Structure formats: C-alpha cells, structure tokens
Amino acid sequence: MSTFRDVDPAVTGKLTCGSLRGANAGENVVLRGWVNRRRDLGGLIFIDLRDRYGLTQIVFNPEIQPDAHAMASEVRNEYVLEATGIVRERPEGTKNPRLATGEIEIEVQSLTVLNTSLNPPFYINEESDVDESLRLKYRYLDLRRERMQRNVILRHQIVKYMRDFLDDRGFVEVETPLLIRSTPEGARDFVVPSSGFPGEFYALPQSPQQLKQLLMVSGLDRYFQIARCFRDEAQRADRQPEFTQLDIEMSFVSQEDVMGLIEQLFIELTETFTDKSFNRPFSRLTYHEAMERFGSDRPDMRFGLEFQNVTDALRGTEFKAFAGVIENGGVIKGIVVPGCADYTRKQIDDITEIAKANGAKGLATFALREGRSSHPSRSSCPKASSRPLPLTLAQTKATLCCSWPIRSMSFPSRSQRFGRISEMCSAWPIQTCSTTCGSMSSRCLNGTRRGSAGMRPTIPSRDFWKRIVRCSRLIPAPCAPSNTI
C-alpha cells in the first residue's frame, strides 16, 4: 500500500511534522508547517502543525513562554509557523495511538509566524464535497488536502516503479520532442505558431508514434517513455486535452511477449500499491468472442449478463419480428437478469426505453420461474416453439429474459448496441436471497428494503435510468463476483 514516507533529517537538514517519536523526548527541535487545527482551552493552547509528512501537536503554556502564548492566541488555520521547543512525552491518557507522532508533543519556547492566511474558501483539514470549479480556482489550497497529496505521491511512486520495472528488463527511456510536424492520427492537433517562420506551425504530438518507430529503425529495440500527449478532442471520462501515458515499443518480439510484459507490470503495480490481486493469467478473448458474448470489445466481466443465443428455441415462432430474422439467416439473442421475474410493467417499460435510447426498436421479455416461462399481459414475448431453452436460461430461477433480433448483416454494430443495453442492466445489480433466487448476491446501488422474503430490490426511478444513459458508463457493483480489478 502507498503511504506517506518521512525523510531522514540528515538528508534534508531539517525535521518534519512526521519525524518525532517517543525516543526524541528531551530534544530541542525546530518545526515548520501549516496550522491544521487550533484548540484554546483557556490556559493552554494546542496547535496541530501539518506538513506533507504528518502532524505534530505543539503546546503553548502562558506560564512558561507568555510571549509565544500571546502570539498563538492570534493564530488561525492555515497560518505558516516556525516553532522552536522541547520534545516531551504526552501525559498518560492523552496519547493518540492513531497518530504516528501521538506519543509526543512540543513545548514551544519561541514562535515565528512565517505567513498569515485568510479564511480558506473550503476546509483543508477535512474531507468535504467541494465544487470542482472552486477547487480549480484555488488549486494551491486544494493540493494541500491530504487526499490530493496522497494522489500526487502515489502517482510519483507508480511512475518510479514503472521506470525501475522496465529498466530491469533492458528498456531505455528516451524523451522525444514536443514540437513536431503534424502526422495523421485520430484527433485534431494542437498547433503552435512559429515566430521564426511566419505562417508556419508546429504540432504538439498526439502520441510519439512516428518518433518511436524511428528509434526502432535506429536499433534501440526496447524503448519506453512517460509521454505527454495532446489531442484536441471532446473530453471523456478517462481523457482530457493533455494527458500522460506509458509508451512502449519493442522490436523482434511476438504478441505474447508484449502481452506478457504488460500483464506482469499490471500485476506487480496492483499488488504493490493496493490490497487487491489478480486472477492469473489474465482472461483473453478474441474480438469475435467478445462481441458474441458481450456485444463489446471491452467487456466488464464482473457482471455476467452474457448474450444467450435463443435462435433454435424460437424457430417456428409466429412472432414476425423474430421469424423474419431467423428465415433470413439472422440470430435471436437475449440476456438473463436474475431475481427480476416479478418486474412490473412500468419496470419493463423502463428497460425498454433504455433499449430504444440505444437504437433498438424494443425488447421482447418474459419471466422464467423454476425453468418454466410465464407470459403475463405486460410481456412482449412471442409465442415460442416447443424446443427447450438454452441450459443457461433453463437452470436459472426467478429471472427476466430480454431478447432481440440481430440480422445477419448487422454484426457487429447491433451486438455493440445491445451490449450497451446489457451494460445498462448490469449497472443495476439486484440483492436477492435464497428464498427468491439463490443465484446472485450483489448489492443494490439504490438501497434495499426488507420484506418477508428477505432483502428485496428497491426500484430505481426513471431519472436513474436517464442518468445511466446520459453518463454512458458502467456503475460497478461493490459485491459482484470479479475477474478484474
């Protein structure tokens, strides 16, 4: 796990607010930092002094140093102080085991205010929900917050780990130019006018693609770079106009060499900086298999909801929307949503609206209980033939089945469309119990209510589904079985 690391005072020439321990009692020290919190008990004044390494409690006693105590009376949060004093152990009952420096405190002999501060526009010393634009306006304050500093330090540690990992495997880091000639790529270039050549422009690189190919031809067969990239395109959840990527290129290698290297890097990074672990080796799908099973070339396999081919079971159906597709060589596919056999018509309509919003004309649905299908008035399921349902459907209890036709010439576009529907459904995991389903146990993101049959799903509103469509991204289920991080 990534943690704040203190530094040896012999290296920096000074102590930090995370350095001192009980063994330092009696030493005369100088600390500098920001006021994290101030407590005035009428006589004694306690201040938690903060830097990026930790907190140290400093104490002002009017009987020992009245001048320092008077100055501390005027101090407020985010003042920058330099405090000189003696380290002493805290009295019994006041030690804080949750703090690295919780055994000691500094009895201040002299105090210098290095800088004052206005009241900050948001809390620095505690986590709170702050408007993004306000955080960006006062970025220097936002970066003082513990979570932000942890993020910055974690990024540094990850980049360092990647450099060491690749260096151990014979890679050479090469810094490529940022002012280059425009090359045809997937987005628009950012351009920089040249004062030396009026009317001419440099382009900022979308990636070092051409430059790293030049290195391969030059004989530098194992290259990497923590590369800055610039793309003038609409922002996405994981992309902004400028971003950083680990860029790698190798010569005289196979596909297995490249995939094995990246897999090992991901495993080591994850196990070093988190408490998670991977299933090994990584699952590998061909593009065709991914589209067939999930309708997406980047499926999230935590949720299941794989496509089921029900074409054979529906041969001979009188439902024209399906019959025509089957006759023309198309297929009928569906997804199985466990624990939802008792959906109301309104709930079915909500799911159908999702399908329509993603380009479908509608969905055919039916409920399946103990291997037997039912066709309530709300269902749009066609009358099927006597052929048995696929095993994955027939063995599932209390489920809702949604089906749609895919014409033979429309693959993979329609598979992608209904893969989006499958992702939408998986974004609404259902809490069930052994009395209703027994086949799935993941937490309902919108809460649950307890009934006679155990935990029953709380139905999201129509606005919830609209937000899911608008955000166009998957909401992970905290308790879902996982094949990925």
Side-chain angles (χ1 to χ4, degrees):
M1 295 290 290
S2 173
T3 58
F4 284 97
R5 295 183 300 173
D6 205 353
V7 294
D8 187 344
V11 175
T12 62
K14 63 184 181 68
L15 292 169
T16 72
C17 293
S19 300
L20 299 172
R21 302 292 186 270
N24 300 109
E27 296 181 7
N28 195 18
V29 299
V30 179
L31 291 181
R32 302 170 184 87
W34 285 261
V35 175
N36 192 65
R37 186 172 283 106
R38 174 183 172 277
R39 303 181 300 281
D40 190 339
L41 303 185
L44 299 177
I45 295 177
F46 295 88
I47 290 178
D48 292 336
L49 202 62
R50 180 194 77 234
D51 61 15
R52 74 178 177 93
Y53 304 100
L55 296 173
T56 297
Q57 178 174 282
I58 59 177
V59 185
F60 298 85
N61 189 331
E63 297 179 357
I64 297 176
Q65 285 294 337
D67 292 341
H69 182 274
M71 292 182 65
S73 300
E74 305 298 324
V75 165
R76 296 295 181 265
N77 284 2
E78 299 309 308
Y79 275 36
V80 185
L81 306 180
E82 178 182 276
T84 303
I86 300 174
V87 182
R88 70 181 188 187
E89 287 194 18
R90 295 192 189 187
E92 286 299 326
T94 65
K95 295 182 179 180
N96 185 354
R98 294 174 297 177
L99 198 63
T101 59
E103 295 181 352
I104 58 93
E105 60 189 13
I106 308 299
E107 186 179 87
V108 178
Q109 305 297 314
S110 67
L111 178 69
T112 302
V113 177
L114 300 179
N115 205 353
T116 60
S117 173
L118 300 175
N119 285 331
F122 49 83
Y123 289 111
I124 309 296
N125 57 5
E126 62 183 56
E127 287 298 325
S128 56
D129 189 14
V130 183
D131 183 74
E132 187 81 11
S133 60
L134 188 64
R135 291 176 56 196
L136 292 173
K137 181 178 180 180
Y138 297 97
R139 192 61 166 173
Y140 63 97
L141 296 178
D142 187 42
L143 289 173
R144 291 184 194 173
R145 301 164 76 192
E146 182 180 353
R147 181 174 67 87
M148 294 300 296
Q149 293 199 353
R150 286 188 182 276
N151 290 345
V152 171
I153 293 170
L154 176 61
R155 184 186 187 279
H156 155 72
Q157 293 172 341
I158 289 175
V159 169
K160 181 180 183 300
Y161 192 97
M162 291 191 297
R163 283 193 165 105
D164 293 341
F165 176 90
L166 294 170
D167 179 68
D168 291 342
R169 287 156 179 78
F171 283 80
V172 178
E173 183 174 11
V174 180
E175 183 178 330
T176 56
L178 291 181
L179 296 176
I180 63 173
R181 181 176 180 177
S182 179
T183 59
E185 298 199 37
R188 294 182 300 273
D189 290 323
F190 284 106
V191 294
V192 180
S194 171
S195 60
F197 300 91
E200 301 292 331
F201 297 84
Y202 295 103
L204 299 180
Q206 297 184 36
S207 70
Q209 186 64 43
Q210 300 297 319
L211 300 173
K212 65 184 180 182
Q213 294 297 326
L214 183 150
L215 293 173
M216 296 301 102
V217 177
S218 301
L220 290 170
D221 62 322
R222 298 171 81 83
Y223 142 91
F224 83 96
Q225 181 182 184
I226 309 299
R228 297 292 291 173
C229 303
F230 306 87
R231 298 182 182 178
D232 186 9
E233 61 181 359
Q235 296 197 39
R236 298 179 289 193
D238 58 351
R239 182 69 57 80
Q240 58 185 11
E242 59 172 312
F243 58 94
T244 306
Q245 68 183 29
L246 172 61
D247 198 58
I248 295 177
E249 191 77 9
M250 293 183 280
S251 296
F252 312 119
V253 292
S254 65
Q255 175 178 288
E256 183 61 35
D257 293 328
V258 177
M259 297 178 72
L261 175 79
I262 300 303
E263 180 174 325
Q264 186 62 32
L265 176 58
F266 266 105
I267 289 172
E268 291 192 18
L269 282 173
T270 302
E271 294 181 348
T272 301
F273 295 103
T274 76
D275 55 1
K276 297 180 174 64
S277 61
F278 281 111
N279 294 331
R280 311 182 193 189
F282 286 2
S283 300
R284 297 185 183 180
L285 303 175
T286 64
Y287 174 78
H288 181 77
E289 183 182 2
M291 298 303 296
E292 280 284 330
R293 291 172 56 187
F294 302 99
S296 171
D297 60 356
R298 47 174 179 76
D300 189 325
M301 301 176 67
R302 291 175 292 182
F303 297 105
L305 293 185
E306 294 188 26
F307 290 176
Q308 310 292 336
N309 193 328
V310 294
T311 308
D312 289 339
L314 293 174
R315 290 191 187 278
T317 180
E318 299 175 0
F319 188 53
K320 293 182 179 180
F322 285 177
V325 170
I326 295 174
E327 289 175 4
N328 293 325
V331 296
I332 311 298
K333 289 192 175 183
I335 57 173
V336 182
V337 188
C340 300
D342 296 323
Y343 270 17
T344 64
R345 178 164 184 166
K346 181 181 182 302
Q347 293 167 308
I348 298 294
D349 290 343
D350 285 340
I351 297 177
T352 303
E353 288 300 318
I354 294 175
K356 291 180 178 179
N358 283 271
K361 294 183 179 179
L363 287 178
T365 65
F366 66 94
L368 187 68
R369 297 180 179 84
E370 301 294 340
R372 299 187 304 275
S373 61
S374 61
H375 309 278
S377 58
R378 68 175 182 267
S379 176
S380 57
C381 178
K383 181 180 179 181
S385 67
S386 60
R387 293 182 179 84
L389 288 168
L391 201 60
T392 50
L393 271 66
Q395 290 184 342
T396 308
K397 304 175 183 179
T399 65
L400 178 73
C401 302
C402 306
S403 302
W404 54 83
I406 301 180
R407 295 182 175 85
S408 57
M409 298 301 292
S410 63
F411 184 86
S413 60
R414 287 220 170 188
S415 289
Q416 291 172 327
R417 179 180 304 166
F418 291 104
R420 187 70 228 136
I421 298 169
S422 177
E423 287 183 348
M424 297 294 185
C425 290
S426 66
W428 183 9
I430 301 300
Q431 175 101 29
T432 61
C433 66
S434 58
T435 57
T436 57
C437 175
S439 61
M440 183 177 180
S441 180
S442 59
R443 185 176 303 164
C444 177
L445 295 179
N446 278 35
T448 56
R449 61 175 181 270
R450 186 174 296 278
S452 58
M455 300 300 288
R456 304 292 296 179
T458 298
I459 307 305
S461 66
R462 184 178 295 269
D463 287 339
F464 170 81
W465 292 108
K466 288 180 179 178
R467 288 197 302 273
I468 292 294
V469 173
R470 184 167 60 248
C471 293
S472 189
R473 61 187 178 90
L474 189 64
I475 299 177
C479 302
S482 175
N483 289 328
T484 61
I485 291 299

